[in-house]
Amino acid sequence: MQSETKASTVGIVTRKRAIWLIAIVVIYFVLINLPTPNGLSLVGQKALALMLIVVITWVTGIIPIGIASLLFVFLQSVIGIADVGTAVGNFANPTLLFVLSSFFLAIALDVSGLNNRISLKLTVLSGGSPKKALFYLMAATAVLSMVISDVPACAAFYSIGLALLRKNNCKVGSSNLGKAMMIGIPVASLIGGAATPAGSSLNVLALSLMKSTANIDITFLQWAAIGIPIVIIALPLTWKIMTFVFPPELERLIGIEDIQKDYQALGHISAKEIKFIVIFALLLITWFTESIHKIPLPASATFGAVLFFLPGIDLLSWENTKHRIGWDIILLIGAASSLGTAFWKSGAATWMANGALSWTQGVSLVVVVLVVVIFTTLIHLLLPVNPAIISIMVPALVGYAATIGMGSPLALVIPMAQAVHSAFLLPLDSVPLITYASGYYTMVDFFKSGWIISILWCIVITAVIMVIAPAIGLF
């Protein structure tokens, strides 16, 4: 009986995927055979149709993301929007090296054991206060997420938070502390990821597309000068929102004594932890001094990753690392870069942006920035695939900035690149999905705090960018 039920379920899923596949093919051919709109070339029309079916494919998952990403890179030459060499060249860009290096950095942190030491220490520092414990876990997650990808940063503190909740018998689905902690940790990871280019592959993808479409470089320090203040302002306010929406039902946590014992059992800092700290410190120095030595971020990140494998350091080996790398994410980022560049060169991005944003001409810059931030925040509800958002929005905003004679597209691209982290409305992004599996909160719970955090995020991003960006010469 069970085998029959399983076979029936598989059959239904297969039919749905087949229907979606047929629908996508039909949608594409319908779109490219419609009359070409004014101001859009036939190549641009094909690029726009391709981008639409790319988004549908990624969201529905009818083809595995990694395989679909490779398919769409080569499909560009088949439909005539880019030759094979150009499409592959835009795929195999430095962004891929940074994403790969980010995985090595996150794995090395885990192997060294330093993440466990930090998380235990911060929990002990809370002194048993649920609100303090929540703040320390959120703050630590955000700080870690500034320099490694959001997913491993969230995962590093998820296990500590989950252990605390279970130790205190916080009931799944009804505990306010459980809701606040399991929502707060991924939200903090998303917020922290906006702080520096190293905080997320999305940031590096945005920088890469800025270079390929507008030939503009932004240094690590320039990005951090905007991103870090945003995090410093937004994080404590977000913590306040979490404790207001979900006031903890406990006055004091139990189990802190056990965590204290676990922390003491770690003993003195280990050789592995020291090795990681030294290499990581060198990386940070290199990143923040990029404008002096001119070594690009992907290159320095790759050099740093190699150090973990060197004899005498041996924090990582290929055998214990290769299976922990998100190859599908790497392929997705590469495809997004290739498709975004083709979308820009075809003229489709400029055409789309002019149609959507033409009404903002003549209004103040602060209004335009706020509109971009709000739109980027809301689009997560329709398109929960952040690389796709980046690959569409960066070329579109660069094109629109050129059309209206804006001195630099950075005034539009930087706010968008910050706002793209704001997957706060529903747990559809890969980061909140880590804790959503715990069952402590529902999608409705996530939205209860998420809509307030989203409003806060839009205001903070707009305010910080309008104050700091002109001061450091980005506008």
Side-chain angles (χ1 to χ4, degrees):
M1 180 65 72
Q2 289 182 346
S3 60
E4 291 178 1
T5 304
K6 184 177 180 180
S8 176
T9 303
V10 171
I12 293 172
V13 171
T14 301
R15 283 194 293 273
K16 285 183 177 180
R17 291 174 60 204
I19 291 171
W20 268 114
L21 185 60
I22 294 170
I24 286 172
V25 174
V26 171
I27 289 171
Y28 175 77
F29 281 105
V30 168
L31 289 177
I32 64 170
N33 284 289
L34 291 174
T36 304
N38 291 331
L40 185 67
S41 66
L42 179 59
V43 172
Q45 186 176 2
K46 290 181 178 180
L48 195 61
L50 177 63
M51 190 60 79
L52 178 60
I53 66 169
V54 166
V55 169
I56 294 173
T57 303
W58 278 343
V59 171
T60 57
I62 58 171
I63 303 174
I65 284 180
I67 300 301
S69 298
L70 290 175
L71 168 66
F72 291 127
V73 169
F74 290 101
L75 203 56
Q76 295 174 55
S77 65
V78 175
I79 66 175
I81 65 172
D83 61 74
V84 172
T86 300
V88 174
N90 292 330
F91 172 89
N93 63 71
T95 305
L96 285 184
L97 295 178
F98 173 79
V99 177
L100 183 58
S101 299
S102 295
F103 278 105
F104 292 139
L105 183 62
I107 296 168
L109 174 62
D110 182 53
V111 170
S112 73
L114 185 62
N115 60 337
N116 185 50
R117 180 182 294 275
I118 293 171
S119 57
L120 289 174
K121 179 62 176 178
L122 289 172
T123 308
V124 170
L125 287 175
S126 70
S129 167
K131 289 185 178 181
K132 284 185 179 180
L134 174 63
F135 178 76
Y136 282 132
L137 286 175
M138 289 180 64
T141 304
V143 171
L144 185 60
S145 186
M146 289 181 181
V147 287
I148 70 171
S149 296
D150 298 343
V151 170
C154 177
F157 292 97
Y158 164 58
S159 58
I160 295 295
L162 190 61
L164 266 180
L165 294 175
R166 289 174 175 172
K167 189 74 174 179
N168 285 270
N169 297 316
C170 296
K171 293 183 178 179
V172 173
S174 60
S175 167
N176 269 359
L177 179 59
K179 293 175 181 178
M181 197 166 284
M182 291 295 100
I183 295 174
I185 290 173
V187 166
S189 184
L190 291 168
I191 291 174
T196 72
S200 173
S201 58
L202 299 175
N203 303 341
V204 181
L205 177 60
L207 294 177
S208 175
L209 285 173
M210 278 295 298
K211 178 66 175 177
S212 64
T213 57
N215 198 30
I216 294 177
D217 289 309
I218 305 172
T219 67
F220 188 97
L221 188 58
Q222 286 175 317
W223 184 293
I226 292 174
I228 292 177
I230 289 175
V231 175
I232 291 173
I233 295 170
L235 186 68
L237 294 176
T238 300
W239 168 68
K240 282 289 187 182
I241 291 170
M242 296 305 305
T243 55
F244 173 76
V245 177
F246 304 113
E249 69 276 14
L250 302 176
E251 292 293 328
R252 178 175 171 77
L253 294 171
I254 60 173
I256 294 297
E257 294 78 8
D258 293 336
I259 293 177
Q260 174 77 44
K261 291 177 182 178
D262 291 340
Y263 177 73
Q264 291 174 345
L266 292 175
H268 297 296
I269 191 167
S270 69
K272 286 185 176 181
E273 291 171 294
I274 293 173
K275 291 175 183 178
F276 179 85
I277 291 171
V278 171
I279 295 174
F280 185 56
L282 290 174
L283 275 175
L284 285 180
I285 293 170
T286 305
W287 290 341
F288 276 102
T289 56
E290 180 185 350
S291 60
I292 299 174
H293 52 67
K294 306 299 182 183
I295 300 175
L297 177 63
S300 59
T302 302
F303 296 151
V306 170
L307 293 177
F308 293 123
F309 292 86
L310 293 182
I313 298 177
D314 293 316
L315 268 180
L316 298 179
S317 69
W318 185 244
E319 288 303 317
N320 67 13
T321 302
K322 61 184 179 182
H323 299 299
R324 300 177 64 180
I325 296 172
W327 297 109
D328 55 338
I329 301 299
I330 292 175
L331 294 173
L332 173 62
I333 293 293
S337 178
S338 179
L339 291 163
T341 303
F343 193 55
W344 156 255
K345 290 183 176 179
S346 72
T350 302
W351 177 84
M352 186 182 76
N354 289 340
L357 297 174
S358 58
W359 65 274
T360 63
Q361 294 188 37
V363 303
S364 65
L365 180 59
V366 65
V367 174
V368 179
V369 170
L370 185 59
V371 168
V372 169
V373 171
I374 292 173
F375 175 79
T376 307
T377 299
L378 292 177
I379 201 173
H380 281 93
L381 294 174
L382 298 175
L383 179 53
V385 184
N386 285 335
I389 297 175
I390 290 283
S391 62
I392 293 172
M393 293 288 287
V394 171
L397 293 175
V398 169
Y400 180 65
T403 299
I404 64 176
M406 183 177 287
S408 171
L410 292 177
L412 303 181
V413 174
I414 290 180
M416 183 280 303
Q418 295 287 340
V420 80
H421 295 271
S422 58
F424 307 138
L425 294 172
L426 289 174
L428 303 176
D429 187 83
S430 58
V431 179
L433 284 175
I434 293 174
T435 62
Y436 182 69
S438 69
Y440 273 94
Y441 66 90
T442 65
M443 289 204 176
V444 173
D445 293 326
F446 198 87
F447 186 81
K448 282 180 182 178
S449 59
W451 73 269
I452 307 174
I453 296 170
S454 296
I455 293 174
L456 167 71
W457 190 241
C458 291
I459 294 172
V460 171
I461 288 176
T462 304
V464 170
I465 284 178
M466 294 308 299
V467 172
I468 294 180
I472 61 175
L474 284 182
F475 289 4

